[in-house]
């Protein structure tokens, strides 16, 4: 290996766009490849090239030379498409340094990854692809409905998808899958991690696997196991083509592709874990740690990427650019995004240079940026605190919706009264203005009731406690605070009264999700009442427990029709999806002016807002359109297990056209229009939506 000593002075203001960090990884020019690798503390870096058919056979090596700014480089015809390669890096010993010149390491910018018995090999790939006339759908935020799913789970059991495509990128783009997504009314498919990942060593020892994929090996390569066998036989080039083909077909169907990306930590785990890439290249610079080399783990996964360094932040930014531009991805959901916004003192700041760069980068201007606004470190919960341009998973919405329809009802059954009234629930219906600033507006909120992590919707209404014994951790893993309610029996039951109440609870939760201001996210399978048998942390199960079943009972088809109806009503009624918050006494374009009435049709009093005994409201929203026709809706919400008669409010002699009710087992469309002062019978725990039309 060539050796050198190079240092760079730390700067007070990080510069992610330093030109010396351009073009890291392999670039090809007329049959000659240039490899650039960043390692501030290395004293030697070596390229190791392998035979294309025998990953044990080292055919050539080449030394990299220091190029300044911590970058090492080599230009050689050895690097050409299809060639497997690795890095060997040596450097000083001492706290924070973990160099070992014998370890074969992945290129952090490698576009292809091959598994091997002693680790992994990077592969030079041919990125060429015919995109045809495919274009990004660019769905406006107010019309966006996200569908969160897993490549394998969505397609593994689908009877209309050929078995060879089950669980694959190609299977997700099959017409049968696209038909389901389009008919459901979603606009954007958010995929659990598809960056190349590995299972944690602990899981492997227990015979389990990391199914979800939150354990990244490389930030540029698609996960090989999700490609069809035919594509895998072609190597990384074939895997890349299949992934791009999936994106192209989904785009041609008008569907966006959003990726759940895990930049907060890597598969190298804690000290003593696998040394596959960053740890061997420059552990001191890539991972958060104390002066003595102990990791500062704010992710709970063993390590945390240190985005206070220019190179680590640039690695994230370059990866995003690659997926947005080369792979045509429409958006990103950032796992544990608070970690990415921690500075050199490990404190979160919304003005972190990386967070600002992601928003300001022209290459990312057309993609959706969604933060999971928390991690497990000190000050980790940051919902509502990200800057302009960011959307955030709104856990306050999730918790309030669950409380209102589930845990409050459970409490009322036992205590005779509910702990809370309607005010907190109403804030969530109206876009969470008490969480997101006026400048950011309601579309900063990603509303969700369930996600991959936690109970499914059906389990949420069927279990009081988690049942995670199959995870091998003695039921210690997974959250204990679920805000769930089994409605009288834990898990499966034949009691039709309990089952009917559970079905209505699911419809109420879906109604809340899809009729609230903000951007809704549906978890795959909830539309048909999928169960994981009470497991609220099924990350390690690649099995029928987590794969969607496409064999549905009649009640599941009924629930599916409710979801289709609700997404259609959301499209048709812009009052349900305001872009901005209305301001008192002002005309705000593309907002919804909101009014609140009680069960008597009277303006809601402060006492009723704050009374736990009062859990019935009438919510009127009137759009202030810029590009759509004016629209007004009335949503009646009743959150008690006793029926009530509600008097419709006097709204300028309007008529109320019934659109949807959670009381119906299957959506009914033939109810007559009503007038102000008419009475609506609200069954226990139910919702009813009306369109408010001006009388002729």
């Amino acid at each position: 290996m060539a050796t050198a000593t190079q240092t760079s002075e730390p700067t007070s203001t990080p510069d992610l766009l330093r030109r010396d960090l351009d073009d890291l990884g392999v670039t090809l020019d007329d049959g000659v490849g240039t490899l650039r690798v960043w390692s501030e503390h290395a004293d030697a870096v070596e390229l190791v090239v392998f035979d294309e058919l025998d990953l044990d056979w080292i055919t050539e090596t080449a030394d990299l030379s220091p190029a300044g700014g911590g970058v090492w480089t080599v230009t050689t015809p050895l690097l050409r498409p299809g060639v497997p390669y690795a890095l060997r890096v040596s450097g000083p010993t001492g706290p924070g340094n973990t160099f070992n010149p014998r370890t074969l390491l992945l290129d952090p910018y490698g576009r292809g990854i091959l598994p091997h018995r002693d680790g992994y090999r990077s592969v030079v790939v041919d990125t060429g692809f015919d995109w045809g006339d495919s274009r990004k759908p660019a769905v406006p935020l107010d019309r966006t409905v996200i569908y969160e799913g897993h490549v394998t789970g969505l397609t593994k059991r689908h009877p209309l998808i050929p078995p060879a495509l089950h669980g694959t990128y190609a299977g997700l783009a099959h017409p049968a899958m696209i038909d389901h997504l389009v008919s459901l009314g979603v606009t954007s498919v958010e995929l659990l991690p598809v960056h190349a990942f590995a299972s944690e060593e602990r899981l492997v020892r227990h015979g389990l696997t990391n199914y979800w994929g939150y354990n990244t090996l490389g930030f540029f390569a698609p996960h090989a196991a999700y490609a069809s066998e035919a594509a895998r036989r072609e190597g990384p080039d074939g895997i890349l083509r299949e992934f791009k083909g999936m994106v192209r077909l989904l785009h041609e169907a008008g569907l966006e592709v959003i990726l759940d990306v895990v930049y907060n930590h890597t598969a190298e785990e804690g000290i003593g874990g696998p040394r596959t890439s960053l740890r061997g290249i420059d552990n001191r610079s890539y991972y958060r740690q104390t002066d003595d080399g102990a990791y500062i783990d704010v992710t709970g996964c063993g390590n945390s990427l240190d985005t206070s360094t220019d190179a680590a932040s640039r690695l994230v930014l370059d990866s995003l650019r690659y997926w947005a531009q080369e792979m045509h991805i429409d958006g990103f959901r950032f796992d544990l995004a608070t970690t990415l916004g921690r500075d050199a003192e490990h404190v979160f700041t919304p003005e972190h240079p990386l967070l600002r760069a992601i928003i300001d980068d022209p290459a990312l201007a057309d993609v959706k940026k969604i933060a999971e606004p928390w991690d497990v470190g000190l000050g980790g919960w940051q919902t509502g605190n990200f800057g302009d341009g960011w959307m955030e998973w709104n856990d306050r919405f999730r918790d309030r919706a669950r409380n209102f329809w589930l845990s409050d009802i459970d409490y009322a059954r036992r205590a005779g009264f509910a702990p809370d009234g309607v005010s907190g629930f109403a804030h969530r219906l109206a876009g969470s203005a008490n969480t997101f600033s006026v400048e950011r507006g309601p579309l900063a909120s990603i509303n969700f009731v369930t996600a991959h992590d936690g109970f499914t919707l059906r389990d949420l209404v069927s279990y009081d406690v988690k049942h995670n014994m199959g995870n091998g951790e003695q039921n210690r893993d997974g959250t204990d605070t679920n805000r769930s309610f089994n409605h009288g029996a834990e898990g499966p039951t034949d009691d039709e009264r309990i089952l009917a109440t559970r079905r209505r609870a699911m419809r109420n939760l879906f109604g809340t999700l899809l009729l609230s201001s903000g951007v809704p996210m549906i978890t795959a399978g909830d539309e048909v009442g999928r169960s994981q048998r009470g497991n609220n942390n099924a990350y390690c199960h690649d099995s029928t427990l987590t794969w969607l079943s496409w064999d549905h009972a009649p009640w599941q088809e009924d629930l599916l029709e409710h979801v289709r109806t609700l997404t259609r009503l959301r499209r048709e009624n812009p009052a349900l999806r305001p872009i901005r918050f209305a301001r008192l006494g002002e005309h705000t374009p593309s907002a919804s002016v909101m009014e609140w009435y009680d069960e008597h049709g009277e303006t809601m009093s402060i006492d009723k807002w704050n009374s736990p005994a009062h859990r019935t409201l009438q919510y009127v929203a009137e759009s202030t359109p810029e590009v759509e026709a004016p629209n007004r809706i009335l949503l009646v919400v009743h959150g008690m297990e006793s029926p009530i008669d509600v008097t419709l409010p006097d709204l300028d002699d309007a008529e109320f056209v019934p659109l949807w009710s959670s009381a119906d087992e299957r959506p009914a469309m033939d109810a007559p229009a009503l007038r102000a002062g008419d009475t609506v019978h609200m069954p226990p725990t139910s919702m009813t939506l009306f369109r408010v039309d001006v009388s002729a």
Side-chain angles (χ1 to χ4, degrees):
M1 297 188 198
T3 62
T5 300
Q6 52 178 345
T7 61
S8 58
E9 292 296 323
T11 58
S12 57
T13 302
D15 182 8
L16 274 64
L17 303 181
R18 289 165 33 193
R19 295 192 65 180
D20 55 20
L21 295 178
D22 290 348
D23 301 320
L24 295 176
V26 174
T27 56
L28 299 172
D29 183 18
D30 196 23
V32 177
T34 296
L35 171 65
R36 287 166 55 84
V37 178
W38 184 89
S39 177
E40 182 178 20
H41 295 101
D43 55 34
V45 181
E46 182 181 44
L47 167 68
V48 181
V49 177
F50 300 89
D51 181 80
E52 294 184 33
L53 300 178
D54 184 353
L55 297 181
D56 288 317
W57 181 9
I58 297 175
T59 59
E60 301 280 355
T61 63
D63 294 333
L64 277 70
S65 301
V71 174
W72 299 76
T73 186
V74 65
T75 299
T76 172
L78 296 173
L79 293 171
R80 60 186 185 278
V83 169
Y85 68 101
L87 304 171
R88 290 195 288 221
V89 183
S90 66
T93 60
N97 292 317
T98 56
F99 295 105
N100 185 332
R102 295 182 299 277
T103 304
L104 296 166
L105 302 167
L106 288 170
D107 174 6
Y109 282 74
R111 269 58 167 172
I113 294 177
L114 286 174
H116 185 57
R117 58 184 176 82
D118 70 348
Y120 302 90
R121 308 286 186 259
S122 297
V123 180
V124 182
V125 298
D126 177 0
T127 60
F129 183 76
D130 180 9
W131 288 99
D133 296 327
S134 172
R135 296 291 181 271
K136 293 184 178 183
V139 179
L141 275 184
D142 68 302
R143 290 182 172 270
T144 298
V145 179
I146 297 172
Y147 186 78
E148 187 205 36
H150 188 286
V151 171
T152 296
L154 287 169
T155 63
K156 189 72 171 181
R157 304 170 73 187
H158 201 300
L160 300 181
I161 295 176
L165 302 184
H166 281 168
T168 68
Y169 301 125
L172 183 57
H174 188 274
M177 195 67 229
I178 288 177
D179 286 348
H180 176 73
L181 296 169
V182 171
S183 70
L184 188 59
V186 300
T187 65
S188 311
V189 181
E190 181 177 306
L191 298 176
L192 268 63
V194 298
H195 289 174
F197 64 87
S199 292
E200 294 87 338
E201 293 183 331
R202 177 188 59 81
L203 290 178
V204 173
R205 289 194 299 269
H206 285 84
L208 297 170
T209 184
N210 187 320
Y211 171 67
W212 286 350
Y214 292 87
N215 203 44
T216 310
L217 271 173
F219 297 136
F220 290 81
H223 190 57
Y226 293 162
S228 64
E229 184 178 349
R232 293 198 303 272
R233 283 199 299 267
E234 297 177 24
D237 286 357
I239 295 165
L240 197 62
R241 283 193 296 272
E242 183 170 310
F243 184 91
K244 291 180 176 180
M246 173 196 73
V247 175
R248 174 177 173 171
L249 289 172
L250 289 171
H251 281 177
E252 289 173 355
L255 295 165
E256 294 183 318
V257 181
I258 298 173
L259 300 186
D260 194 335
V261 287
V262 188
Y263 295 116
N264 57 81
H265 76 283
T266 75
E268 291 185 309
E269 304 182 38
I271 291 292
R275 184 191 287 109
T276 56
S277 185
L278 302 182
R279 178 172 292 146
I281 292 172
D282 197 332
N283 181 67
R284 168 57 76 183
S285 297
Y286 276 116
Y287 293 121
R288 294 187 179 275
Q289 54 197 275
T290 61
D291 291 342
D292 63 1
Y295 276 3
I296 297 172
D297 179 13
V298 297
T299 67
C301 301
N303 63 65
S304 303
L305 195 70
D306 187 358
T307 54
S308 70
T309 67
D310 294 354
S313 283
R314 183 63 179 269
L315 174 64
V316 174
L317 192 64
D318 286 345
S319 171
L320 294 169
R321 289 169 164 176
Y322 174 75
W323 290 91
Q325 295 182 303
E326 179 67 33
M327 311 291 263
H328 290 206
I329 293 303
D330 303 281
F332 302 95
R333 179 267 187 188
F334 294 81
D335 182 65
L336 301 183
T338 297
T339 298
L340 304 182
R342 290 183 181 271
D343 60 19
E345 303 302 318
H346 317 296
V347 175
F348 173 80
T349 170
E351 294 303 315
H352 189 285
L354 175 58
L355 300 184
R356 289 304 325 160
I358 291 170
I359 296 301
D360 296 338
D361 193 332
L364 303 177
D366 65 342
V367 301
K368 295 175 168 69
K369 298 100 172 170
I370 303 168
E372 181 185 36
W374 51 78
D375 64 16
V376 301
L378 186 66
W381 187 76
Q382 294 292 335
T383 304
N385 293 334
F386 279 68
D388 291 347
W390 286 95
M391 294 177 283
E392 300 175 39
W393 271 26
N394 188 351
D395 55 325
R396 289 181 171 180
F397 180 97
R398 175 200 64 198
D399 293 349
R400 183 61 67 177
R402 291 184 180 193
N403 283 351
F404 189 81
W405 294 117
L406 300 176
S407 58
D408 285 1
I409 302 302
D410 180 22
Y411 188 97
R413 280 194 187 182
R414 291 181 285 107
F417 57 90
D420 290 298
V422 297
S423 61
F425 182 76
H427 277 300
R428 302 306 158 197
L429 278 178
S432 298
N434 56 352
T435 301
F436 300 98
S437 67
V438 169
E439 292 74 22
R440 296 179 68 191
L443 298 179
S445 176
I446 300 294
N447 297 336
F448 68 108
V449 174
T450 67
H452 66 275
D453 186 1
F455 279 145
T456 66
L457 186 69
R458 182 176 174 184
D459 289 353
L460 196 65
V461 304
S462 304
Y463 293 90
D464 280 351
V465 296
K466 65 187 181 184
H467 295 263
N468 296 357
M469 289 301 294
N471 296 357
E473 298 184 47
Q474 304 304 310
N475 211 39
R476 292 188 300 267
D477 64 305
T479 183
D480 293 314
T481 307
N482 296 289
R483 296 175 167 85
S484 60
F485 180 33
N486 67 22
H487 293 87
E490 186 71 358
T493 180
D494 294 326
D495 188 320
E496 179 52 36
R497 179 185 58 82
I498 293 175
L499 293 173
T501 307
R502 288 176 177 177
R503 293 194 296 270
R504 190 170 66 250
M506 286 190 278
R507 297 192 293 268
N508 285 328
L509 289 164
F510 256 124
T512 302
L513 175 65
L514 291 168
L515 302 179
S516 293
S517 301
V519 179
M521 183 186 78
I522 298 169
T523 303
D526 278 353
E527 72 272 21
V528 291
R530 180 178 74 91
S531 174
Q532 289 178 169
R533 300 196 295 274
N535 191 318
N536 75 351
N537 190 35
Y539 75 103
C540 55
H541 295 280
D542 187 359
S543 68
T544 55
L545 182 71
T546 52
W547 304 336
L548 271 64
S549 170
W550 297 90
D551 183 14
H552 303 146
W555 73 265
Q556 293 176 294
E557 292 294 333
D558 291 342
L559 179 60
L560 178 59
E561 284 305 309
H562 274 281
V563 179
R564 288 170 172 163
T565 298
L566 287 165
T567 57
R568 175 180 57 80
L569 293 173
R570 185 177 183 86
R571 287 195 304 275
E572 294 173 352
N573 292 275
L576 293 169
R577 41 183 176 82
I579 295 172
R580 302 178 182 91
F581 289 127
R583 302 191 187 201
L584 187 63
E586 299 180 18
H587 175 80
T588 305
S590 294
S592 287
V593 178
M594 299 171 185
E595 300 173 319
W596 306 91
Y597 300 91
D598 63 18
E599 67 272 28
H600 304 298
E602 303 293 335
T603 299
M604 187 79 74
S605 68
I606 295 297
D607 288 344
K608 286 190 174 179
W609 268 119
N610 298 322
S611 171
H614 185 261
R615 292 174 59 84
T616 304
L617 65 84
Q618 300 191 70
Y619 162 51
V620 175
E622 182 174 4
S623 67
T624 55
E626 294 177 278
V627 295
E628 297 183 81
N631 174 240
R632 186 160 50 162
I633 61 93
L634 166 67
L635 180 63
V636 184
V637 176
H638 177 53
M640 293 291 285
E641 286 200 299
S642 56
I644 192 172
D645 290 331
V646 172
T647 302
L648 297 177
D650 185 0
L651 301 179
D652 303 322
D653 198 31
E655 71 173 13
F656 300 85
V657 180
L659 299 178
W660 174 80
S661 172
S662 68
D664 297 330
E665 285 287 349
R666 192 173 179 88
M669 305 298 294
D670 55 356
L674 301 174
R675 308 290 296 227
D678 285 350
T679 297
V680 176
H681 180 73
M682 296 294 293
T685 54
S686 61
M687 309 174 75
T688 300
L689 178 70
F690 298 88
R691 186 180 68 247
V692 183
D693 290 345
V694 177
S695 298

